[in-house]
Short mmCIF file of all heavy atoms in Angstrom, two decimals:
data_model
loop_
_atom_site.label_atom_id
_atom_site.label_comp_id
_atom_site.label_asym_id
_atom_site.label_seq_id
_atom_site.Cartn_x
_atom_site.Cartn_y
_atom_site.Cartn_z
N MET A 246 264.94 206.69 68.49
CA MET A 246 266.38 206.48 68.40
C MET A 246 267.04 207.53 67.52
O MET A 246 268.19 207.85 67.68
CB MET A 246 266.65 205.08 67.88
CG MET A 246 268.13 204.76 67.80
SD MET A 246 268.36 203.03 67.48
CE MET A 246 269.96 203.08 66.78
N GLU A 247 266.30 208.08 66.60
CA GLU A 247 266.86 209.07 65.70
C GLU A 247 267.44 210.27 66.44
O GLU A 247 268.47 210.80 66.06
CB GLU A 247 265.79 209.53 64.72
CG GLU A 247 266.29 210.52 63.71
CD GLU A 247 265.20 210.95 62.76
OE1 GLU A 247 264.12 210.34 62.76
OE2 GLU A 247 265.43 211.91 62.03
N GLU A 248 266.79 210.69 67.51
CA GLU A 248 267.24 211.86 68.26
C GLU A 248 268.61 211.65 68.89
O GLU A 248 269.39 212.57 69.01
CB GLU A 248 266.22 212.21 69.32
CG GLU A 248 264.87 212.64 68.78
CD GLU A 248 264.94 213.88 67.90
OE1 GLU A 248 265.69 214.81 68.25
OE2 GLU A 248 264.25 213.92 66.88
N THR A 249 268.91 210.44 69.33
CA THR A 249 270.18 210.18 70.02
C THR A 249 271.31 209.84 69.06
O THR A 249 272.45 209.77 69.46
CB THR A 249 270.02 209.03 71.03
OG1 THR A 249 269.65 207.84 70.34
CG2 THR A 249 268.98 209.38 72.08
N SER A 250 271.01 209.62 67.80
CA SER A 250 272.04 209.18 66.86
C SER A 250 272.99 210.31 66.47
O SER A 250 274.12 210.05 66.12
CB SER A 250 271.40 208.59 65.60
OG SER A 250 270.81 209.61 64.84
N GLY A 251 272.51 211.53 66.50
CA GLY A 251 273.35 212.64 66.09
C GLY A 251 273.22 212.96 64.61
O GLY A 251 273.65 214.00 64.16
N PHE A 252 272.62 212.08 63.82
CA PHE A 252 272.41 212.30 62.40
C PHE A 252 270.92 212.24 62.11
O PHE A 252 270.26 211.26 62.43
CB PHE A 252 273.13 211.23 61.57
CG PHE A 252 274.62 211.34 61.62
CD1 PHE A 252 275.35 210.51 62.45
CD2 PHE A 252 275.30 212.26 60.83
CE1 PHE A 252 276.73 210.61 62.51
CE2 PHE A 252 276.68 212.35 60.88
CZ PHE A 252 277.40 211.53 61.72
N ARG A 253 270.42 213.27 61.48
CA ARG A 253 269.02 213.27 61.08
C ARG A 253 268.85 212.44 59.81
O ARG A 253 269.71 212.48 58.91
CB ARG A 253 268.54 214.70 60.83
CG ARG A 253 268.48 215.54 62.09
CD ARG A 253 267.83 216.89 61.85
NE ARG A 253 267.81 217.36 60.49
CZ ARG A 253 268.60 218.30 59.99
NH1 ARG A 253 269.50 218.88 60.76
NH2 ARG A 253 268.49 218.67 58.74
N LYS A 254 267.76 211.73 59.73
CA LYS A 254 267.49 210.90 58.55
C LYS A 254 267.47 211.75 57.27
O LYS A 254 267.94 211.31 56.23
CB LYS A 254 266.17 210.16 58.69
CG LYS A 254 266.22 208.99 59.63
CD LYS A 254 264.88 208.27 59.63
CE LYS A 254 264.91 207.08 60.53
NZ LYS A 254 263.64 206.35 60.51
N GLU A 255 266.93 212.96 57.37
CA GLU A 255 266.84 213.82 56.20
C GLU A 255 268.23 214.17 55.66
O GLU A 255 268.45 214.19 54.45
CB GLU A 255 266.09 215.11 56.53
CG GLU A 255 264.64 214.90 56.93
CD GLU A 255 264.48 214.48 58.40
OE1 GLU A 255 265.42 214.67 59.21
OE2 GLU A 255 263.41 213.94 58.72
N LEU A 256 269.17 214.43 56.56
CA LEU A 256 270.53 214.75 56.16
C LEU A 256 271.19 213.56 55.49
O LEU A 256 271.80 213.68 54.42
CB LEU A 256 271.36 215.19 57.37
CG LEU A 256 272.85 215.39 57.11
CD1 LEU A 256 273.08 216.52 56.11
CD2 LEU A 256 273.58 215.68 58.41
N VAL A 257 271.07 212.40 56.09
CA VAL A 257 271.68 211.19 55.53
C VAL A 257 271.07 210.88 54.17
O VAL A 257 271.78 210.52 53.22
CB VAL A 257 271.55 210.00 56.50
CG1 VAL A 257 272.06 208.72 55.87
CG2 VAL A 257 272.29 210.29 57.80
N LEU A 277 267.73 203.47 55.24
CA LEU A 277 268.12 204.79 55.73
C LEU A 277 268.49 204.72 57.21
O LEU A 277 269.51 205.29 57.63
CB LEU A 277 267.00 205.79 55.50
CG LEU A 277 267.32 207.24 55.77
CD1 LEU A 277 268.51 207.71 54.95
CD2 LEU A 277 266.10 208.10 55.47
N GLN A 278 267.70 204.02 58.00
CA GLN A 278 268.01 203.86 59.43
C GLN A 278 269.34 203.13 59.62
O GLN A 278 270.12 203.46 60.50
CB GLN A 278 266.88 203.12 60.15
CG GLN A 278 267.07 203.05 61.64
CD GLN A 278 267.14 204.41 62.30
OE1 GLN A 278 266.39 205.32 61.94
NE2 GLN A 278 268.04 204.58 63.24
N LEU A 279 269.61 202.15 58.77
CA LEU A 279 270.87 201.42 58.83
C LEU A 279 272.05 202.34 58.54
O LEU A 279 273.08 202.30 59.22
CB LEU A 279 270.86 200.25 57.84
CG LEU A 279 272.09 199.37 57.82
CD1 LEU A 279 272.28 198.65 59.15
CD2 LEU A 279 271.99 198.36 56.68
N MET A 280 271.91 203.22 57.55
CA MET A 280 272.99 204.15 57.23
C MET A 280 273.20 205.16 58.36
O MET A 280 274.34 205.53 58.65
CB MET A 280 272.69 204.89 55.92
CG MET A 280 272.91 204.05 54.69
SD MET A 280 274.58 203.38 54.57
CE MET A 280 275.57 204.84 54.60
N VAL A 281 272.13 205.60 58.99
CA VAL A 281 272.24 206.51 60.13
C VAL A 281 273.05 205.84 61.24
O VAL A 281 273.96 206.44 61.82
CB VAL A 281 270.84 206.94 60.63
CG1 VAL A 281 270.93 207.64 61.98
CG2 VAL A 281 270.16 207.85 59.61
N GLU A 282 272.72 204.59 61.52
CA GLU A 282 273.43 203.84 62.56
C GLU A 282 274.89 203.61 62.17
O GLU A 282 275.80 203.71 62.99
CB GLU A 282 272.72 202.52 62.85
CG GLU A 282 273.37 201.69 63.92
CD GLU A 282 273.36 202.33 65.31
OE1 GLU A 282 272.65 203.32 65.54
OE2 GLU A 282 274.09 201.81 66.18
N PHE A 283 275.13 203.27 60.90
CA PHE A 283 276.49 203.05 60.42
C PHE A 283 277.33 204.32 60.60
O PHE A 283 278.46 204.26 61.08
CB PHE A 283 276.47 202.64 58.94
CG PHE A 283 277.84 202.56 58.33
CD1 PHE A 283 278.64 201.45 58.56
CD2 PHE A 283 278.34 203.58 57.54
CE1 PHE A 283 279.91 201.38 58.02
CE2 PHE A 283 279.59 203.52 57.01
CZ PHE A 283 280.39 202.41 57.24
N LEU A 284 276.79 205.46 60.23
CA LEU A 284 277.52 206.72 60.39
C LEU A 284 277.80 207.03 61.86
O LEU A 284 278.87 207.51 62.21
CB LEU A 284 276.75 207.87 59.74
CG LEU A 284 276.78 207.88 58.22
CD1 LEU A 284 275.82 208.93 57.69
CD2 LEU A 284 278.19 208.14 57.71
N ARG A 285 276.82 206.74 62.72
CA ARG A 285 277.02 206.96 64.15
C ARG A 285 278.17 206.11 64.67
O ARG A 285 279.07 206.60 65.35
CB ARG A 285 275.74 206.65 64.94
CG ARG A 285 275.85 207.00 66.41
CD ARG A 285 274.70 206.43 67.23
NE ARG A 285 274.75 204.98 67.29
CZ ARG A 285 275.58 204.28 68.08
NH1 ARG A 285 276.42 204.91 68.87
NH2 ARG A 285 275.57 202.97 68.09
N VAL A 286 278.17 204.83 64.31
CA VAL A 286 279.23 203.92 64.76
C VAL A 286 280.58 204.36 64.20
O VAL A 286 281.60 204.36 64.91
CB VAL A 286 278.91 202.47 64.35
CG1 VAL A 286 280.10 201.55 64.56
CG2 VAL A 286 277.69 201.96 65.12
N PHE A 287 280.61 204.77 62.94
CA PHE A 287 281.85 205.21 62.31
C PHE A 287 282.44 206.42 63.04
O PHE A 287 283.64 206.47 63.33
CB PHE A 287 281.60 205.54 60.84
CG PHE A 287 282.84 205.88 60.07
CD1 PHE A 287 283.63 204.87 59.52
CD2 PHE A 287 283.23 207.19 59.90
CE1 PHE A 287 284.78 205.18 58.81
CE2 PHE A 287 284.38 207.50 59.20
CZ PHE A 287 285.16 206.50 58.65
N VAL A 288 281.60 207.39 63.35
CA VAL A 288 282.08 208.61 64.02
C VAL A 288 282.54 208.30 65.44
O VAL A 288 283.58 208.81 65.89
CB VAL A 288 280.98 209.69 64.01
CG1 VAL A 288 281.34 210.86 64.91
CG2 VAL A 288 280.75 210.17 62.59
N VAL A 289 281.80 207.47 66.16
CA VAL A 289 282.21 207.10 67.53
C VAL A 289 283.54 206.36 67.48
O VAL A 289 284.44 206.63 68.28
CB VAL A 289 281.11 206.25 68.22
CG1 VAL A 289 281.63 205.63 69.50
CG2 VAL A 289 279.89 207.10 68.50
#
Side-chain angles (χ1 to χ4, degrees):
M246 182 170 157
E247 182 180 349
E248 296 299 320
T249 62
S250 72
F252 291 100
R253 292 188 339 256
K254 284 184 179 182
E255 296 81 17
L256 173 63
V257 175
L277 188 56
Q278 185 60 41
L279 182 64
M280 284 303 302
V281 168
E282 181 65 13
F283 173 79
L284 286 171
R285 186 192 67 77
V286 169
F287 186 85
V288 169
V289 168

